[in-house]
Amino acid sequence: MTEANTNRGVLFDVKQCIGCGSCTVACKLWNDLGYEKPDVAGNAHGFDVELTDKNWTIVTYNREKDANGKDVLRFLKNQCMHCKEPACISVCFAHALYIDENGAVVCDPAKCAGCRYCMIACPYSVPKYEWDKVFPSIQKCQMCDSKIAAGEATSCSAVCPTGALTFGDRDELLALAKKKIAADPSYVNHVYGETEGGGTRWLYISDVPFEKLGLPINVPNTPINDYLHGYLKYTPVVFLGGGALFAALSIYTKRRAKVAGHGEGDE
Amino acid sequence: MKKQTEKQQKKREPKKLSRRQFLGAVAATTAIAGLAGCDMGENTGGSGWLPKQYRSAANWPIQLKGRVPVDPENPSIVRRDDACILCGQCIEVCQNVQNIHGYYELPVKNEFMCVNCGQCALWCPTASIYERSHIDRVREAILNPDMTVIVQTAPATRVSIGEEFGLDMGTWMEGQQVAALRRLGFDVVLDTNFAADLTIMEEGTELVKRVTSGSAVLPQFTSCCPGWVKFLEFFYPELIPNLSTAKSPMQMFGSMLKTYYAKKQNIDPKKIYSVAVMPCISKKMEASRPEFKTVAEYYNDDSMKDIDAVLSVREFAIMLKEAGIDLPSLPEEDYDSIMGEASGAGLIFGSTGGVMEAALRSAYYLMTGTNLPEDKLDIKAVRGLQGIKEATVNVPGVGDVKVAVCAGLSNARALCEMVKAGKVDYHFIEVMACPGGCISGGGQPRTTVPPSDDMRQKRLESIYAKDAIYKLRMSHQNPEILQAYKEFLGEPGSHLAEDLLHTYYISRAEDVTPKKFN
Amino acid sequence: MKDTTAQAKNKISFKITPARGILLVLGLLSICLIVYRLINGLGVTTNLNDQWPWGLWIFIDLAAIALAGCGFSIAVITHVFHIKKFKPLTRRALLLSFLLYIVALLILFIEIGRWDNFYTPIYSFAFTSPLYEVFMCIVLYFLMQAIELLDISIERFNPPARSKISKIMPVVVIIACLLPFGHQASLGAMYLGMPQKLSAIWSSAFLPWSFLINSFFAGLAVVVLEYHFFSKHYRQPKDNAMMTGLTRVIAVIMLGYFVLKIIDLAARGAFGLVFDGSLEGNMFLLEMVIGVIIPIIFGLSSLVKKTSGQIFMATFVVIGLLLSRFNVIFVGMIKTLGNSYVPSWIEIAVIPGLFALAIFIYLFAVENLPIFQAANREYDAFAGREKHAGYEVVSK
Ligand code: SF4
Ligand code: SF4
Ligand code: SF4
Ligand code: SF4
Ligand code: SF4
């Protein structure tokens, strides 16, 4: 086994993607995910899909204007971003989601109580639910955890014919992304995922604005956890301080009432 | 819990111990869910199957990787993901045989790069890629009593359709094919070979003009293969003037059917539904090209199409099987007339070198006024499966006419480069996008996967064998052609012929940045 | 203290009238639907989907829990601040709150996808999750309430044994007063986790405190309604002055709430959104006008001196609370999540029965436990055994 590296990541270069969808098929094959039934034309797959419990990754296509105002065809691969400080984990009240020893964000269905808070809290709306099952679990990209544990690249990046997906150490990928941007002014000068939500393991670079491709650009750079912590940090204060205060108040008001006149005063 | 662990270990037998240990730890927790009697879903991190080449450690390069992109609106091909095994065959043929994938710079512009040749559909071992079906629209037309459904059959379908019924590769099934089409409910069964002869008249005349005028652009490229035409428009738009303006036989047939034929037979052209059975699925793209609105312009009615539907040989076979028609047991029947008669020259269009050979036979006549001597009719140098073939025919009074033939777009690319560099002085070049020509087109039966030269050879031989015994072996001898010119078109290259039988091309340079190889 | 004959004999008595029969039938229907849901999964029974993982049941949950704030708000007023004039309300508020929690927990149980795993969060120690805090607080609070009710039952059926439990009661009461501060606020904190999904009108660090405060006064409003309805139902004499006092308290707290809301909006510069005519803005205005401004005007005027005025005001407060939860759960999210969710009939049909069941149990409890009449004696160990005139339960 190769040395454990918890800092893995994947760089997706929008300019390199041809929309072949190999990555989506690889994900299905490796993770034993089924397909929805094709329509009569046999055409249900390809781009006609959304992230679901069975589709952990999808490739969407957009006709957009590039920097020169020309119509261009651009693809975007969606999957779990594997945030460094994931909202999904912060909100999971069962600790079913966790970052495993390879850095991947995965879900332990044996713990998940199915509250679906992660689905609604994930800034990218990635976790999906097996609605048709009686005992469903949360489904999402697991960064091919078993493959990377064995020193292999994720399935999707292993099959990408154009090198649009590069698997590697996140820091190196970040450097690579920045090098690419520096060398080619047509790139948008931002590595998506470097700071979003506190940083994600999947990084994107593109020559058309990210929001045009459907990536949420209003994801705050502060990890969602910080928002929650801004409130939750008061919990001990509320319980310990509040407990003391209430007890004191209770005794004080009671005594005052007694003093004021045999328990009939109103304050 | 033990059961769970065992099950999991069995499932991931071929993988390394490290994974096993890792998942073993997970198994403890999964066992709880097991006790609760629920479906555990997937193991963490996946334990499915991937072709071996993708299982190497880290990011080592591999050769066969991924698959070709398919436009969801591609008029020729569709793909169902659930059959794809990422074997890489489609990308192999697209890149190395057809020189499309990998021959353009990324990022893509506004197009999914594809010339619609359909070779990927032939190479795909699981038939994950296949033709966009026109079966439904054809059925609907057949069931519509108001419609006269007329079908044309391409030269190369009659030597392959038998394979769909278990017959030997290359079995000659022309008569049975006609009979089968009638039984499917087509009202009139005609032959594209007729239009092939017509193409020769037009294209040959054009060639003669170019060769004899001296000033025109040479070499002349054939234009009957839509895959090749689109390839040239993408990668060599500067060579568009070299492309013959003659339409492909199918499109010529489409133009003639709703004009000449409709008039002759006294049928309302609006009530004609024009179907083509083709060895090619690029033809589906060709039929949808916006330039081909000849009939619409002729009648000033935008709703009319030159060709209404294109069936691949595979779709044709599906229709037959679904209708319970056993092709081999049918009697041989003849094509309807008019536009059902053809010469051997029209027939050999179906194989690589065929157009060239047919064109030379007639061009010789057009230039000299005499027919090629019987023993010289077989121009063997342009036959066969080699990538690029060349020949020289001495035409008395004109001199040596130098020709080249190639099939497969990688060969076409090589030839185009030579032409561009001025390294060659051919007069006439025939290009077919598919290796071996239409006999191995993207709509042909999947007899061998990937298509083998053995299969191609047998279909070729079948075609040449028939050509050899045809009474009429030259297009300009076809009486129905002569009649058509006499009664309708005038003469080759006439004004009406220009309108109906010729087309123009568009540069697609805007849609692609070709890769430079030096 | 006067007891009814039935109580004196330590016997349980409860007459099933036709109306009560209907409640029971409705309840049974809900139970059937719950079983159906548990057997068949969420996909079959609800219209929830990947875009809208949370729907009607979450709304009912949040609303029920907020309204169940009646238990803790009255408790805080009477036990912590010892405002004695409201003491007669403690037990009925406690009972009502307890029943609302039962409803909420039942819905929560069918709402979570993996009911077989409902217990895993208990030992997950997921301190980063507001939902964990909600869950733990509710479970513990429910326990505390159960102990309090146990105390009342012991008082009713075996008074001498009461001395054993009365020692821990002060602690139970204080904990019970504290816990809701945790979960009422945490319910709002759950929505801190989606700053870029929830409309900026609501998405604020103040949201938890907003949830806390409005559950506090809405709980009091529920008590007003409960008091009037059941006092009438049982032909109890009503203490109008007490109710007027309560509505005044509500109005004062609401005034504070309103000011805080405005400060919050202003501080975040979100005022523009409120008046931009969008769905979100308009719904927020509705929430504020119906649920806050009108009740404040009522509460501070002389209108609440009359029963009808009190009922009117309390109703508006409760509607306002429902609106506030509805706005956060649905309206505030519609822009990001789309409009692909409409509740299924099962999701809807399950709800009335559960409330019917709650009312049924309420009636039973009131008729068999010293809820109305014993306000004087409650927690006497803690409160110094003051003597109050109790009420008597007279079954209709
Ligand atoms: S993208 Fe969503 S699901 Fe993935 S780690 Fe981040 S928060 Fe979790
Ligand atoms: S649905 Fe499961 S994994 Fe997601 S937050 Fe809830 S308990 Fe955690
Ligand atoms: S990393 Fe693995 S699980 Fe995730 S999208 Fe790629 S193939 Fe699928
Ligand atoms: S495999 Fe690579 S090129 Fe193909 S769609 Fe996926 S990312 Fe794009
Ligand atoms: S040839 Fe077929 S199965 Fe193989 S990668 Fe291409 S589409 Fe998939």
Side-chain angles (χ1 to χ4, degrees), chain C residues 198-380:
Chain C
L198 182 62
S199 159
I201 295 179
W202 293 279
S203 186
S204 151
F206 177 63
L207 192 64
W209 314 114
S210 159
F211 267 46
L212 175 67
I213 301 170
N214 72 5
S215 75
F216 193 93
F217 63 68
L220 296 178
V222 170
V223 174
V224 172
L225 294 177
E226 182 266 353
Y227 182 83
H228 282 302
F229 184 78
F230 286 105
S231 296
K232 193 170 171 216
H233 182 75
Y234 285 116
R235 306 220 177 89
Q236 295 284 323
K238 284 196 226 166
D239 182 346
N240 210 38
M242 176 172 74
M243 280 299 115
T244 310
L246 195 55
T247 46
R248 293 267 192 255
V249 172
I250 296 175
V252 169
I253 302 173
M254 286 183 95
L255 200 58
Y257 171 77
F258 185 58
V259 171
L260 285 173
K261 269 279 185 198
I262 291 185
I263 293 175
D264 169 53
L265 279 175
R268 292 182 298 115
F271 256 123
L273 295 171
V274 175
F275 297 106
D276 66 358
S278 63
L279 174 71
E280 290 86 345
N282 292 341
M283 285 302 284
F284 180 78
L285 287 177
L286 198 67
E287 172 191 335
M288 282 297 129
V289 173
I290 291 192
V292 181
I293 298 173
I294 295 182
I296 289 178
I297 296 172
F298 255 75
L300 296 179
S301 71
S302 59
L303 286 166
V304 287
K305 289 203 172 131
K306 281 210 227 111
T307 303
S308 60
Q310 294 157 3
I311 292 177
F312 188 84
M313 171 195 175
T315 310
F316 267 61
V317 173
V318 169
I319 292 174
L321 179 111
L322 295 180
L323 265 175
S324 79
R325 297 298 184 269
F326 184 85
N327 279 347
V328 169
I329 297 170
F330 297 111
V331 179
M333 301 290 273
I334 213 159
K335 222 170 232 158
T336 24
L337 303 190
N339 53 1
S340 61
Y341 171 74
V342 175
S344 72
W345 74 265
I346 294 183
E347 281 176 271
I348 298 169
V350 125
I351 294 161
L354 288 178
F355 284 97
L357 218 52
I359 296 172
F360 186 84
I361 300 173
Y362 180 94
L363 296 171
F364 177 85
V366 162
E367 287 175 26
N368 289 285
L369 290 174
I371 301 291
F372 284 5
Q373 70 270 49
N376 53 331
R377 288 174 306 151
E378 61 187 347
Y379 321 134
D380 40 13

Side-chain angles (χ1 to χ4, degrees), chain A residues 134-150:
Chain A
V134 180
F135 295 106
S137 44
I138 285 291
Q139 296 289 348
K140 67 170 199 67
C141 157
Q142 304 180 334
M143 209 164 161
C144 288
D145 194 60
S146 53
K147 269 193 109 215
I148 60 178

Side-chain angles (χ1 to χ4, degrees), chain B residues 19-52:
Chain B
R19 278 197 59 236
R20 208 180 276 182
Q21 283 169 339
F22 161 67
L23 280 160
V26 181
T29 40
T30 57
I32 298 169
L35 286 177
C38 70
D39 182 352
M40 263 302 301
E42 281 66 42
N43 297 325
T44 313
S47 59
W49 169 88
L50 268 185
K52 196 76 188 154

